[in-house]
Each structure stands twice: as C-alpha cells, then as structure tokens.
Amino acid sequence: MTTRVAAIDCGTNSIRLLVADLPDPSAGPQAPLVDLARRMEIVRLGQGVDRTGRLAPEAIERTRVALAGYAAEIEKLGVDRVRMCATSASRDASNAADFRAMVTQTLGVAPEVVSGDEEARLSFTGAVRGLPADAEPPYLVVDIGGGSTEFVVGTRDGGVEAAISVDIGCVRMTERHLHGDPPTGDEVAAAQADIAAAVDRALAAVPGREAATLVGLAGSVTTVVAIAQDLQEYDPERIHHARVPYERVAGVTADLLAKTAAQRLAIPVMHPGRADVIGAGALVLRVIMERAGMSSVVASEHDILDGIAWSLHPTTT
C-alpha cells in the first residue's frame, strides 16, 4: 500500500509543493517516491526581515495566494497526509503568529517552524536517497536558502553525523551587502567576508572538511549548475546529480556578480524571481567550496521538500 503525501517547504524566498506516493515499507529502503506534482512560487516571504525583524504584510499575502493554489491541488489529488515546514524567515519574525494563523486558515494544517537542526536533517534525508555510486561518502550536504544555509555531514547508511544552520542566504546577503546594480567590488568583498566567517563557524561545528563529496541543494545551486552546463532551458533531469568543478563555479559566480539584474534576467535558465539574488547565492556556494576544500559539487534536485515527504512515511511516524 502506497501512502499519498503532500510536503510544503516555505522558505525565505520561495514556497514549494511536492505531492508524492511513498512506497510500501516492504519495497525496501531504496525504493523511490513517485512524484505526482512539484510546484514552486517565488513569494519572498523574508522580504526585509533581516532589517525589520517582521514579515511584511504584502509578503504574507503573496504567500497566502500561492498556498491557496497548493491547497486546491492537494484536495484534487486526494492526499492522505500533509506537512508544511516553515524555515528561516518564520523563525526570525516577531509577527510569526500572523503567518501561522494565515497558513492554518488557508491550508487547514498548522505550519511547523522547524529548528535549524531539523531543517538540516530533512535536507540530508531528501538529498542522499538515490545518490549515484560515484558520490563517495561521507557527504557534506549544503542547502543554500534565502535566509540561511544548512550544513549536514553524514552517510546514507549511518545517517546524520552533525548538522548546523547559519544565517547566510541569497536574500539575506543581497539585502545586507549587494546594493549596486551590478554590486561594487567593495560590496562583494564585504559579502564574501561575512559569508566566509559564517562558513568557518559552520565547518568548526561539523566535520565538513573531512567529507568526500559536496552535495548542493536548492535554487541557487541548481541555477549555477544549469548555467555552468550552458543549458538553454532549465532541465531538472540534466541538473540532478550533475557534477561541476570549482573552477566553473567560480567563473559563473564572477560573471553573475558583474552583471546587472536585467542581464541576469536574460540568462535562459534564470527564474525571474531569482535574478536579483542569484549573485549572492552563487557567492555562498563558491566560498563554501573554498573553505571546505572541495574541488567539485554534485547538484541535487531532491532536498528538504523530499525529506519532508519521507518524514510522513508510516515507518517514520
């Protein structure tokens, strides 16, 4: 018997939905989930949170509109179990209660404002299932979000060894440092120093430098990988598990930071809602690779959203 679940990941920049059928427990630990729907909307819930400490009313409304569409999809597909996790912006905001009330009314399920550690563990679970054989363990999984980045070290069989979340992300770093169009050299240098300090703190807490494979998650990573592959349209199948060397990541990062927002928007694989923050996201990835001593990154289209779905499996609840 399969279990039909809906997972929703509401982050600082985007809100995403996965509706999937989870395999019967008798199918074994490597049996995949079966996608029925994947959706993503850029709602920028974390707009201004780093500065004001509050969720903007217009950001909550954008999220409500997207969530209402997801609720209709969930009802249409006859889902058995629903879980929504809200991440960095909802942890930071002083008016998080307004957000929770909106979600409960719109979705019929209260959001879980997960801790950074839980966010990291969900990301790891989603990422490591199905990794190719040439992805040697242990893994350092990094999930570069809008407001925070999660670092998780572990193996497929042994699970998570250590995890930490730090407050660097593409939206937060853009709002804090990258104000020019394109950003100035001084702005980039300030962002790089801020990121490097946070990455070093993370790598002091988790043994990331001892990992054999770096696995990168979320839109900043997959967009950089799509650009590095010279794709003319966003193709998840070509991006998923693609391995990109450091030199290519560094080149793409430098190019993105030198472009205006309009020039970035013209890149064929660029999502319109990501063009203004992708430079910061790429910079986070590049600095992680440098500080962790990683020569390449393996991209994964499976991440916290898949981890949330797997957490609804009857064998884990």
Side-chain angles (χ1 to χ4, degrees):
M1 289 286 291
T2 60
T3 303
R4 183 160 295 183
V5 302
I8 298 174
D9 169 39
C10 185
T12 303
N13 195 42
S14 64
I15 184 168
R16 300 181 300 148
L17 167 71
L18 168 62
V19 179
D21 285 338
L22 301 182
D24 185 273
S26 65
Q30 292 307 312
L33 56 74
V34 177
D35 287 17
L36 299 174
R38 283 188 189 257
R39 305 279 184 268
M40 189 272 283
E41 299 285 344
I42 301 286
V43 295
R44 198 63 57 83
L45 179 63
Q47 171 193 335
V49 165
D50 193 50
R51 177 176 53 84
T52 68
R54 294 179 60 82
L55 296 171
E58 61 270 28
I60 294 176
E61 174 60 16
R62 288 193 299 267
T63 306
R64 185 198 66 78
V65 171
L67 195 58
Y70 290 173
E73 184 91 349
I74 288 167
E75 183 176 4
K76 183 180 74 175
L77 291 173
V79 165
D80 301 313
R81 312 177 81 180
V82 179
R83 185 182 185 190
M84 175 173 170
C85 292
T87 55
S88 179
S90 301
R91 287 199 301 268
D92 297 344
S94 62
N95 61 335
D98 296 341
F99 170 74
R100 289 194 297 272
M102 178 278 290
V103 171
T104 303
Q105 182 175 5
T106 306
L107 186 64
V109 173
E112 300 176 45
V113 183
V114 298
S115 68
D117 283 350
E118 173 69 2
E119 189 175 346
R121 291 170 194 278
L122 289 168
S123 295
F124 186 84
T125 299
V128 303
R129 278 182 177 259
L131 276 176
D134 66 350
E136 183 184 347
Y139 311 115
L140 169 59
V141 174
V142 294
D143 187 341
I144 302 173
S148 64
T149 294
E150 285 65 59
F151 294 70
V152 199
V153 174
T155 62
R156 200 191 329 262
D157 296 332
V160 172
E161 178 181 340
I164 189 173
S165 177
V166 293
D167 284 340
I168 51 172
C170 60
V171 175
R172 193 186 298 271
M173 291 298 99
T174 300
E175 290 185 350
R176 188 178 291 176
H177 297 293
L178 304 181
H179 306 300
D181 188 27
T184 67
D186 286 346
E187 289 172 347
V188 173
Q192 181 172 319
D194 197 358
I195 294 164
V199 171
D200 284 348
R201 287 197 305 274
L203 293 175
V206 304
R209 294 186 178 94
E210 299 171 17
T213 300
L214 174 66
V215 183
L217 314 183
S220 289
V221 173
T222 57
T223 301
V224 167
V225 169
I227 296 169
Q229 291 180 301
D230 296 318
L231 298 184
Q232 292 307 297
E233 61 180 8
Y234 193 93
D235 184 346
E237 290 188 6
R238 291 187 61 185
I239 295 165
H240 189 48
H241 293 162
R243 185 185 290 269
V244 176
Y246 165 79
E247 292 77 14
R248 193 73 180 105
V249 171
V252 170
T253 302
D255 187 56
L256 288 169
L257 290 169
K259 280 180 160 58
T260 65
Q263 289 170 328
R264 293 192 295 270
L265 188 59
I267 296 172
V269 297
M270 188 66 62
H271 189 288
R274 204 174 297 284
D276 60 333
V277 296
I278 186 60
L283 186 60
V284 171
L285 175 61
R286 195 202 78 194
V287 172
I288 289 171
M289 295 182 76
E290 290 169 351
R291 310 304 281 194
M294 293 292 179
S295 61
S296 65
V297 59
V298 176
S300 177
E301 288 278 351
H302 294 176
D303 52 26
I304 188 173
L305 194 60
D306 301 75
I308 295 167
W310 282 112
S311 76
L312 293 170
H313 199 283
T315 61
T316 61
T317 57

